[in-house]
Amino acid sequence: SAEQKFEVLFILGGPGAGKGTLCRYITEKYGYVHLSAGDLLREERMKPNSKYGELIEKFIKDGKIVPVAITCSLLDNGMQASYSPHKRFLIDGFPRNQDNVDGWNEAMSEKCIVKGVLFCECSKEVCTQRCLKRGAAGSGRSDDNEEVLVKRHETYITNTLPIIEHFEKQGLTYKVNSMQSPEKVFEDAKEILSKIGW
Ligand code: UP5
Ligand code: MG
């Protein structure tokens, strides 16, 4: 029945917009489970016996979007493995293109209700500066450099923005101004959570 389904909020926005940071604030206060598709892919890439390690690294260093079967199965496993009394999940950085949406609908729509998209809106300049700063501080991420950031941003504009707009037409996109302090972004996000009944 519907009440047994998992509830999902997608967190989207440009590379470095502050998706992960906002999710950590939400998780701390509300206890919902945060699953970052990018973190799951980076973790999978590090596994010594992963079939997909090389493929994932190639896509990440190209700023391209990994085929959905891989990402979606990592998210599915992550959800199953998480203890979540609320059955509420923040899915961070996914879906990024139409292939992602289609793959999600095929594999997950029976088990999950999508409550909406929390859109962290942030300028390209601020996003890029944040990632460069993080890279300089030793993030260890192979995509926190100027060359890959150009590609990440292109992929975001070409592939992900249309997905955000698609959800917006269904009245499911909720925007926060992600150029504010993390605390202020979180304050604004709280109002959105209350709107969706969380
Ligand atoms: N920071 C955060 N908020 C701030 C604020 N309000 N004010 C000032 N500073 C702020 O933040 C980035 C940096 O900014 C941090 O240093 C933070 O302290 C600071 P973060 O919260 O990490 O932002 P986030 O939006 O999560 O940035 P991230 O780099 O993770 O975004 P991406 O979307 O680029 O990265 P992701 O990990 O999601 O994906 C990486 C790659 O994986 C993709 O390019 C793609 O190749 C691949 N991928 C897929 O193929 N499929 C997927 O489904 C997901 C990823
Ligand atoms: Mg992130």
Side-chain angles (χ1 to χ4, degrees), residues 22-72:
L22 175 58
C23 287
R24 282 187 282 280
Y25 275 82
I26 296 174
T27 293
E28 192 180 329
K29 163 108 180 164
Y30 293 80
Y32 306 150
V33 175
H34 171 209
L35 293 171
S36 157
D39 287 349
L40 291 169
L41 287 166
R42 282 183 289 274
E43 217 174 88
E44 176 66 23
R45 179 194 59 186
M46 297 309 289
K47 288 186 189 153
N49 296 315
S50 171
K51 285 189 275 187
Y52 304 118
E54 275 177 46
L55 181 148
I56 291 169
E57 179 59 11
K58 192 172 170 299
F59 274 76
I60 286 180
K61 278 193 95 172
D62 236 358
K64 291 212 174 109
I65 300 160
V66 171
V68 67
I70 298 171
T71 315
C72 208

Side-chain angles (χ1 to χ4, degrees), residues 2 7 16 21-22 31 48 60 93 99 102 114 131 151 158 171 180 187:
E7 292 184 356
T21 301
L22 175 58
I60 286 180
D99 175 56
D102 295 342
V114 175
C131 290
K151 295 180 185 173
T158 312
Q180 312 173 93
E187 285 307 313

Side-chain angles (χ1 to χ4, degrees), residues 112-125:
C112 300
I113 295 171
V114 175
K115 301 291 285 183
V117 169
L118 181 46
F119 173 28
C120 298
E121 197 174 39
C122 190
S123 72
K124 176 183 176 178
E125 289 69 30

Side-chain angles (χ1 to χ4, degrees), residues 76-145:
D76 195 0
N77 293 342
M79 290 173 79
Q80 304 302 332
S82 300
Y83 171 68
S84 177
H86 305 90
K87 299 193 172 173
R88 290 177 177 164
F89 294 85
L90 306 164
I91 305 287
D92 160 6
F94 178 96
R96 296 172 106 89
N97 62 6
Q98 191 59 46
D99 175 56
N100 282 182
V101 172
D102 295 342
W104 171 275
N105 286 338
E106 224 166 274
M108 307 298 279
S109 57
E110 298 274 290
K111 316 179 210 181
C112 300
I113 295 171
V114 175
K115 301 291 285 183
V117 169
L118 181 46
F119 173 28
C120 298
E121 197 174 39
C122 190
S123 72
K124 176 183 176 178
E125 289 69 30
V126 170
C127 280
T128 303
Q129 283 317 308
R130 286 179 182 174
C131 290
L132 288 176
K133 189 175 160 196
R134 183 178 59 188
S139 69
R141 275 182 55 164
S142 58
D143 58 350
D144 275 345
N145 58 70

Side-chain angles (χ1 to χ4, degrees), residues 1-7 86-87 113:
S1 71
E3 62 245 11
Q4 289 165 333
K5 287 194 181 186
F6 290 163
E7 292 184 356
H86 305 90
K87 299 193 172 173
I113 295 171

